[in-house]
Amino acid sequence: MGRSSRAARGSEPAATTGPGGRTHAQGPLSRPVGSGLAELRPDRDRPAAWSLLIDGAPQSLVDLADPTHLGFEYQRRLGHLIDLVAPPGRPLTVLHLGGGALTLARYTAATRPRSRQQVAEIDTALTELVRTELPLERGWQIKVRGADARSVLERTPEGSVDLVITDVFSGARTPAHCTTVEFTTLAARALAPGGWYTANIADGGALPFARSQVATLAAVFPELCLIADPAVLRGKRFGNLILAAAHTPLPIADLTRRAASDSAHARVEHGRALTDFAAGAIPATDATAAPSPEPPPGVFR
C-alpha cells in the first residue's frame, strides 16, 4: 500500500525487450481476486504504466517499458535499500513477502541481472492477473509461490538470502502474524551474513504501531533505521514507513542522502533518535500482536 508521486528513479537504465502486456488503449480493468476487487488503472503520465489497487487501496505501480521506475514513495525508499545492500550490479538472492504487481522484484531483476528471487503471494488469482496483464521479462529468475508469507519464511533455508522485503497487506492492513518477534526471528534466520531485513508498514497519529514495530525489530537485530515522510513522523498524516534492520551497520549516510534527494523528501531515523522514538513501546509477539491500523476514511482520495 502506498502513495504515488510523479517522480521516476532508477540506478541504471533498464534492459527491456519491449513493454508487452496490457495497453492503455484497452482501458482500465477490474476483476475479483482472493483479497478483494483488483483494479488496473492506466497511469496518466507514462504510456506503459499501470497502478494496481485492491478494494480502492493503492498497492503497486508498474511501468512495463521501464521496470526501474518506482512511482510510489515507499517503493523508492525500498529501492534505495536494494541499491545499497550490495555493490552496484551484483546479483542478489531476495525473498519478497507479499507480491502485489511484483514491482520491486522487477526493479531488482532490471538493476541486478542474474538475481534469484522468490515471492510469497497468497492471492493466486491476483498473481495470475498480474502475470497475464503485466507480464514479467523472459530470463528474470522470479519464482512466485501461492502461499502465506510466514509459511514461506518458515521454509526458507537458514542463511540463504541477502535481502528479505516484507510488504504484506491484507487490503490496507498488515496481518498480525507478520509483525511479531517470532516472525522477525525467522527472517533473521533466513539472512546470509551481511544480509538485511526490510519492511513496509503504515501508521498515523501518534504512530503506536510503528513504535511497536521498531521495538520488535530491536529485540532481534542490533542495527536498524526507519525512513518516512517528516509529516508522517510528526503525526500530521497517515502514511508508509520503511524499516531496515541488520546484524551489521547500515549505510546511514548514503541512505540519508538518497532519501533527502528524492522528490518526496524523507527523514532517516536511527541511533539515539530511533531509540527515543520507540521509548516505552512493547515488542509484538504471537500472543499479543494486532494488525496494523485501518487507514482513515478518504486517505487514498
Side-chain angles (χ1 to χ4, degrees), residues 45-64:
D45 294 330
R46 301 178 72 88
W50 296 85
S51 293
L52 168 67
L53 298 87
I54 304 292
D55 288 339
Q59 301 289 328
S60 305
L61 188 144
V62 168
D63 189 332
L64 292 172

Side-chain angles (χ1 to χ4, degrees), residues 101-224:
L102 308 175
T103 305
L104 292 169
R106 298 168 197 264
Y107 178 83
T108 303
T111 60
R112 295 181 176 276
R114 302 180 307 283
S115 291
R116 292 181 295 116
Q117 303 185 76
Q118 183 175 185
V119 181
E121 174 53 66
I122 195 170
D123 191 337
T124 55
L126 175 61
T127 298
E128 181 181 356
L129 172 66
V130 168
R131 283 190 178 278
T132 300
E133 303 294 340
L134 310 176
L136 300 172
E137 299 252 350
R138 293 179 185 174
W140 285 351
Q141 299 180 61
I142 300 172
K143 180 183 291 185
V144 183
R145 295 191 179 278
D148 174 77
R150 181 154 171 174
S151 70
V152 171
L153 184 58
E154 289 169 346
R155 297 194 300 269
T156 301
E158 182 175 357
S160 63
V161 299
D162 300 307
L163 184 63
V164 174
I165 301 176
T166 299
D167 189 15
V168 182
F169 282 85
S170 177
R173 306 179 75 182
T174 302
H177 72 292
C178 295
T179 68
T180 67
V181 169
E182 292 88 346
F183 177 89
T184 307
T185 300
L186 289 170
R189 176 183 173 278
L191 292 175
W196 296 356
Y197 173 77
T198 65
N200 172 39
I201 63 172
D203 202 1
L207 304 174
F209 179 75
R211 296 176 195 276
S212 174
Q213 286 301 285
V214 171
T216 300
L217 266 62
V220 178
F221 291 101
E223 304 288 337
L224 61 155

